[in-house]
Amino acid sequence: MNIDQAKEKFNSLYTELTQSCIKIETEQDARFQVIDRILTEVLGWQREEILTEPYTDSGYIDYLITSRGRSRLVVEAKRTSKLLIDTRQPRMAWYKVGGSALESAADGLNQAKRYCTDKAVLFCALTTGFEWIGFWALRTDGTPPSEGKAIVFPNLESIQQNFATFYDVFSREGILEDLYKTYIYEAEGLKISHNESLYSVLENSDRYLLTKSALFKDIENVYHSFFTSMSGEDDPDMLAKCFVESKESKEADENLQKITRNLLNRIDIVNSAKGIELQNQIRNAVELQKGEFVLIIGNKGAGKTTFIDRFFRLILDKNIREHCLLIGVDLANSNGEQATITSWLTEQLKIELENGLFKGEYPLYSELQGVFFQEYKRWKCGERKPLYERNKNEFKEKFGEYIADFTEKHPNDYVMKLIKNATKARGLMPCIVFDNTDHFPQIFQEAVFQYAQSIYRKVFSFIICPITDRTIWQLSKSGPLQSYENQAFYLPVPSTKDVLAKRIEFIKEKAIEDSEVSKKYFTKKGIRLSIPNISAFAVEDIFINEDYIGRVVGWLSNHDIRRSLQIARRIITSPITDISLLVNAYVIGKKSQISHWQIKKALLVGDYNHFYQKDSNFILNLFEVQPSNITSPLLRLSILRLLSDTYSENSDAEKNYLYIDDILNYFEPVTINRILVKEHLKALLDYRLIETYDPTDGNIYELQRVKITPCGRIHYEFAVEEKEGIYIGQMALNTPIASQSYLVRVRDFLKKKRTRQDWVVIIKLFVEYCLQQDSLYISLPQKQIYDSQRKLRERISQRWT
């Protein structure tokens, strides 16, 4: 539920309560008629999360609301005749908890506070259903609860007028994000965090685009063409032929061949059987079988869609392929609305089936007659026999009207008839692929799977759904896969190096075969280049033959081939890359000697003279803090360290994820504000250094689960383990800091030509500053679970200071 849906629910309830004759006299009336409904229908709490009348040492709690096994909110209910607010102010307002405006509510507030103490709940609500008071019962900021502010909604009208605030303070979403703290801090005029003026060594005027020579610009155009070709987005032949095979994919190929062959054998038996009675008997037997429902499982970048396309076009035996009716439905083209997905899928299948079964743009009357043959036969020999014998043209016209009406009013049944027609009348195996379902939330995916399963259960068909392993975990635990039959095949993500190598080889071969593809590119300097010559210009040397660089590119892109190509292009077209070495290597026919130092700097700075965060979609400054929320510059690294401790390639993949709530709890004893941790988690998520359990959910909240990605692991390696100090050196110049002495010393270094030793000193000064700031804002408890955090700081100190 989102806030807009919640507002619609509240408006409906408000109208019902203000215009009906419902009598609400007792506390039980208020709970049943109003409070229960506001909590569940408006505020989004699930009924299984609400405990009523649980016992505590202080008595029985009216409502104890929990989430993920932890108590989150106490709600104390009172009868509507009970006066809670000693002011007739009709608008939402903030009052001192122990002040005169809330004297009549004092007993209820104290009662709720005792329950909060018993259950370790920080926030609570006192309500009659019409009046709502929210206050921070257990505070850890040094302010006594009685001296703090309570938010008061004196009536339903005030809730309606300030619904966004009401929702933020009491809703499931708001409570899990501790939004009430933000509102209370603002109402009390307090600052949430320390604010300082921060400055980076480099100012905006110090950054500029590097000049590119005419030669460089010409060659850059060649690389633009090359990497565009490498993406293969408009070349399905490349994607299919460059698929990186693995042991798992080969096994999947073999098994899918067997499945397809067996399904077609069943159809062949039906269509080749002799004798009407035997044929009908076998046909009925086949119809009781559901065909197959197959899941192709693999993370993003595993090539699930390419695998399926390649299987039907290149792998599957030609004789079998000719008897398959391949129908593809790309869910990425849908609007993502769960309410309309069933009708959208039906319409797409109708279009694709008609295109596959009929030669024209639409089916002819005679073809539709075949699809509706059973009905035609009944009309002809049954109820409409007199009409058929009297006037065949009128009979056909009436039957055509029946088909049109049926198709319009029962589109799903029409689709089932088309699938049956493909199997029974044409001997074709309908192979239906529901692709890209994992682009959407779990509830949407469930709707698609249920639709696909309805086809599988109703008609003889071969259903294929490519999904990610995370989707499998989600749906197998709480979704339709718990009860659905399926066969599953897993595709591992190939290395970026292997994918690039295959595509380069494909382009080179294609260029030789096809003169149109191999058209020449000429530079103004008279160097003649063709697609095959690109390998001489460092692409293979840098990204294929260098294992380390191949790993860096693959990890930074999280093995996404499109992002890998963007990163590779950024490196190869950066002015930092010495173009003269590339040209010399081409001229003399030798391997280009581009250093790791150049490649890394080209990756970091791109077309600029220094790293520029706004120019980089792949690199995140791990040391950056915000002036309005200043904290340790090692916080992002600390979060990655925690997630790295959890990560293991050999364990159950689901165990690699940590709840945000657990991360917040881990850093709370370290004296880091929960809101600050969330902000830095969001930055890590936005730059793909971490990923959520549900890849479609880009929000940070307590019940969200995240894990470190390859991109996060290579960032951590850059910051902590990199020998050359390229990454940390660039961050030293760009990270906003508070130390003026540091700024002066480093800016002095920048005024002269810098040596390697100068860079070592700059990094040393930066690391010393980070460690000093870290000691101000972070205090690591002497517990074993924080040992890796201490080792992180020791490692940085030993490496650079």
Side-chain angles (χ1 to χ4, degrees):
M1 175 184 293
N2 58 43
I3 190 170
D4 295 325
Q5 294 170 326
K7 183 61 161 54
E8 291 178 5
K9 293 282 188 181
F10 179 80
N11 289 341
S12 176
L13 179 59
Y14 175 79
T15 301
E16 184 179 336
L17 292 173
T18 54
Q19 296 183 3
S20 68
C21 298
I22 298 176
K23 289 187 177 181
I24 302 175
E25 298 176 351
T26 67
E27 179 185 320
Q28 291 302 319
D29 290 338
R31 292 176 61 173
F32 179 73
Q33 299 286 4
V34 187
I35 301 174
D36 288 6
R37 296 184 64 185
I38 288 179
L39 289 174
T40 56
E41 296 175 21
V42 177
L43 296 175
W45 293 101
Q46 304 298 312
R47 291 196 174 275
E48 59 268 22
E49 296 176 320
I50 302 175
L51 302 177
T52 57
E53 304 294 335
Y55 176 75
T56 72
D57 292 340
S58 302
Y60 293 91
I61 306 175
D62 288 333
Y63 298 90
L64 177 62
I65 302 180
T66 66
S67 182
R68 209 180 131 235
R70 294 180 181 172
S71 301
R72 305 287 181 175
L73 176 68
V74 164
V75 179
E76 177 65 17
K78 297 297 179 183
R79 65 184 184 276
T80 55
S81 60
K82 170 69 176 175
L83 179 67
L84 297 181
I85 305 168
D86 299 303
T87 175
R88 294 301 93 194
Q89 170 65 258
R91 295 183 294 274
M92 181 202 85
W94 290 89
Y95 300 112
K96 184 178 177 180
V97 174
S100 58
L102 297 179
E103 284 184 6
S104 297
D107 290 342
L109 293 175
N110 288 329
Q111 185 179 5
K113 180 182 175 183
R114 291 194 296 272
Y115 294 149
C116 286
T117 302
D118 291 341
K119 289 296 183 179
V121 176
L122 301 181
F123 191 66
C124 63
L126 179 66
T127 180
T128 63
F130 295 87
E131 299 172 89
W132 286 75
I133 302 174
F135 84 107
W136 193 349
L138 299 182
R139 299 185 66 150
T140 58
D141 61 348
T143 301
S146 62
E147 296 297 315
K149 291 288 184 70
I151 188 169
V152 176
F153 296 88
N155 47 53
L156 294 181
E157 289 82 0
S158 65
I159 294 176
Q160 190 175 52
Q161 293 165 5
N162 303 275
F163 185 78
T165 302
F166 180 78
Y167 184 82
D168 281 350
V169 171
F170 295 113
S171 70
R172 184 180 192 273
E173 181 181 348
I175 290 293
L176 294 181
E177 294 188 26
D178 292 336
L179 293 183
Y180 65 88
K181 291 183 180 179
T182 302
Y183 282 96
I184 291 174
Y185 276 136
E186 290 178 354
E188 295 174 350
L190 300 176
K191 291 183 178 179
I192 296 177
S193 57
H194 183 192
N195 192 323
E196 281 193 21
S197 296
L198 303 179
Y199 305 93
S200 61
V201 172
L202 294 177
E203 298 176 345
N204 288 335
S205 59
D206 295 321
R207 299 184 181 91
Y208 54 84
L209 284 167
L210 294 172
T211 303
K212 298 181 180 181
S213 67
L215 169 63
F216 192 100
K217 290 178 181 178
D218 288 334
I219 296 179
E220 184 180 26
N221 291 333
V222 175
Y223 280 121
H224 175 76
S225 300
F226 174 69
F227 283 111
T228 299
S229 300
M230 284 273 285
S231 70
E233 293 182 3
D234 299 320
D235 191 349
D237 195 36
M238 169 192 274
L239 295 178
K241 291 185 178 179
C242 294
F243 181 83
V244 178
E245 292 184 327
S246 62
K247 176 184 176 183
E248 292 83 356
S249 70
K250 290 178 181 177
E251 290 179 356
D253 283 337
E254 293 176 3
N255 283 292
L256 289 176
Q257 286 240 45
K258 291 177 184 176
I259 290 171
T260 311
R261 185 179 291 110
N262 290 337
L263 293 177
L264 282 171
N265 284 341
R266 296 183 204 170
I267 295 174
D268 290 341
I269 290 173
V270 170
N271 287 281
S272 62
K274 304 298 182 182
I276 298 300
E277 292 182 2
L278 177 61
Q279 182 172 330
N280 290 336
Q281 183 179 0
I282 295 176
R283 178 177 286 112
N284 290 336
V286 170
E287 286 179 347
L288 292 176
Q289 302 183 54
K290 303 182 184 72
E292 290 291 349
F293 193 98
V294 169
L295 301 176
I296 305 296
I297 307 167
N299 278 337
K300 187 175 181 181
K304 302 182 292 296
T305 301
T306 300
F307 170 81
I308 295 169
D309 174 71
R310 159 189 161 279
F311 173 77
F312 282 104
R313 289 206 298 120
L314 304 176
I315 303 299
L316 188 61
D317 182 84
K318 183 179 179 182
N319 293 327
I320 298 177
R321 188 164 67 247
E322 289 175 349
H323 291 86
C324 292
L325 176 62
L326 183 61
I327 302 297
V329 180
D330 188 352
L331 273 298
N333 295 326
S334 75
N335 60 12
E337 293 290 336
Q338 183 201 352
T340 59
I341 188 57
T342 298
S343 58
W344 185 87
L345 286 169
T346 299
E347 181 62 24
Q348 294 302 305
L349 283 177
K350 172 189 168 185
I351 293 170
E352 295 297 326
L353 283 164
E354 288 184 343
N355 288 340
L357 291 173
F358 310 117
K359 294 180 180 179
E361 296 181 1
Y362 46 83
L364 302 176
Y365 184 94
S366 58
E367 291 170 327
L368 286 171
Q369 184 179 324
V371 174
F372 288 84
F373 182 70
Q374 293 299 324
E375 291 83 350
Y376 182 85
K377 222 171 147 185
R378 176 169 182 136
W379 274 45
K380 178 181 175 182
C381 302
E383 298 95 319
R384 304 297 178 96
K385 181 179 180 181
L387 176 61
Y388 178 81
E389 293 177 344
R390 183 177 69 252
N391 190 328
K392 290 185 175 134
N393 287 333
E394 185 180 348
F395 174 88
K396 292 179 71 175
E397 185 177 335
K398 291 284 187 185
F399 189 68
E401 291 173 356
Y402 164 77
I403 293 176
D405 185 66
F406 184 94
T407 304
E408 181 181 348
K409 294 182 179 178
H410 308 284
N412 190 66
D413 292 335
Y414 174 61
V415 165
M416 297 303 151
K417 283 183 172 294
L418 291 175
I419 296 174
K420 289 179 180 178
N421 180 262
T423 305
K424 296 180 179 180
R426 302 166 187 263
L428 295 174
M429 164 54 59
C431 303
I432 306 174
V433 181
F434 293 91
D435 201 4
N436 290 322
T437 57
D438 50 5
H439 288 194
F440 301 94
Q442 180 179 339
I443 190 169
F444 180 89
Q445 296 178 45
E446 289 185 16
V448 175
F449 282 118
Q450 287 166 349
Y451 183 92
Q453 277 284 331
S454 71
I455 296 176
Y456 167 65
R457 290 192 301 270
K458 289 179 182 176
V459 291
F460 192 72
S461 56
F462 185 12
I463 308 293
I464 302 175
C465 290
I467 58 175
T468 65
D469 51 6
R470 281 174 292 182
T471 303
I472 278 288
W473 302 334
Q474 295 162 0
L475 299 184
S476 62
K477 290 190 172 184
S478 59
L481 289 184
Q482 283 184 310
S483 55
Y484 286 174
E485 301 174 14
N486 65 79
Q487 291 201 46
F489 301 100
Y490 178 76
L491 298 180
V493 177
S495 73
T496 303
K497 173 183 171 181
D498 291 340
V499 175
L500 288 174
K502 274 210 163 190
R503 293 195 182 186
I504 287 174
E505 194 60 35
F506 175 85
I507 287 178
K508 289 161 67 176
E509 291 176 0
K510 194 77 173 175
I512 295 171
E513 295 171 2
D514 190 336
S515 60
E516 184 62 28
V517 175
S518 62
K519 69 176 185 176
K520 308 298 181 180
Y521 297 92
F522 296 90
T523 71
K524 293 177 182 177
K525 295 294 183 179
I527 298 175
R528 184 169 179 167
L529 295 172
S530 66
I531 292 292
N533 296 136
I534 292 296
S535 62
F537 274 70
V539 175
E540 285 180 297
D541 292 343
I542 294 176
F543 303 110
I544 307 303
N545 300 331
E546 287 280 356
D547 289 337
Y548 174 71
I549 298 302
R551 179 171 71 88
V552 167
V553 172
W555 284 25
L556 270 180
S557 66
N558 288 327
H559 304 296
D560 183 316
I561 189 59
R562 292 184 184 88
R563 288 178 66 82
S564 294
L565 291 170
Q566 292 171 7
I567 294 171
R569 180 179 163 190
R570 176 183 174 89
I571 292 172
I572 208 74
T573 60
S574 169
I576 297 298
T577 305
D578 192 339
I579 200 71
S580 63
L581 291 178
L582 299 179
V583 176
N584 289 337
Y586 171 78
V587 171
I588 65 177
K590 286 189 176 181
K591 179 180 177 180
S592 56
Q593 298 295 322
I594 305 296
S595 69
H596 284 190
W597 182 89
Q598 283 179 293
I599 293 170
K600 286 185 181 177
K601 188 170 182 183
L603 167 65
L604 286 167
V605 306
D607 292 340
Y608 285 81
N609 62 327
H610 292 294
F611 173 78
Y612 189 31
Q613 186 68 78
K614 291 182 180 180
D615 176 58
S616 177
N617 296 320
F618 312 106
I619 301 294
L620 176 67
N621 184 351
L622 291 177
F623 303 97
E624 185 177 32
V625 295
Q626 297 301 320
S628 59
N629 282 322
I630 193 166
T631 184
S632 166
L634 301 184
L635 179 55
R636 291 178 182 177
L637 265 177
S638 299
I639 294 172
L640 292 180
R641 178 67 263 170
L642 172 62
L643 293 172
S644 293
D645 292 338
T646 307
Y647 180 84
S648 172
E649 291 183 346
N650 299 320
S651 69
D652 179 357
E654 193 168 3
K655 293 180 180 178
N656 290 330
Y657 289 86
L658 271 183
Y659 279 99
I660 297 294
D661 197 31
D662 290 333
I663 297 174
L664 300 180
N665 291 336
Y666 179 84
F667 284 105
E668 202 159 35
V670 176
T671 67
I672 296 292
N673 186 294
R674 295 168 74 92
I675 295 175
L676 281 175
V677 178
K678 285 184 181 179
E679 288 178 356
H680 286 273
L681 281 165
K682 188 66 169 70
L684 295 172
L685 179 62
D686 288 343
Y687 273 81
R688 298 176 174 87
L689 277 70
I690 62 175
E691 66 181 8
T692 56
Y693 184 79
D694 180 353
T696 65
D697 190 350
N699 297 314
I700 294 294
Y701 53 91
E702 272 76 351
L703 295 185
Q704 178 72 275
R705 282 188 277 179
V706 296
K707 77 168 184 178
I708 191 170
T709 62
C711 182
R713 289 157 62 195
I714 200 67
H715 267 79
Y716 184 89
E717 185 177 309
F718 284 166
V720 180
E721 304 294 342
E722 187 184 63
K723 293 180 180 179
E724 301 94 336
I726 308 299
Y727 175 85
I728 200 168
Q730 287 295 317
M731 301 310 124
L733 302 182
N734 289 275
T735 301
I737 62 174
S739 171
Q740 290 298 317
S741 61
Y742 171 83
L743 292 173
V744 171
R745 292 189 65 182
V746 175
R747 284 172 179 171
D748 286 341
F749 278 104
L750 297 183
K751 292 176 183 177
K752 62 178 184 178
K753 187 175 181 180
R754 292 167 298 284
T755 65
R756 168 62 184 162
Q757 188 57 38
D758 290 334
W759 277 111
V760 171
V761 175
I762 290 173
I763 294 172
K764 177 178 181 292
L765 292 173
F766 178 67
V767 170
E768 287 176 344
Y769 168 80
C770 289
L771 290 171
Q772 183 265 339
Q773 290 289 296
D774 181 69
S775 67
L776 291 177
Y777 293 99
I778 284 184
S779 177
L780 295 173
Q782 295 300 316
K783 298 291 184 181
Q784 185 177 355
I785 60 172
Y786 296 101
D787 284 349
S788 66
Q789 297 293 334
R790 277 185 281 274
K791 290 176 182 177
L792 162 63
R793 287 148 177 83
E794 290 170 5
R795 174 60 180 160
I796 294 174
S797 178
Q798 291 169 359
R799 177 74 186 85
W800 295 110
T801 67

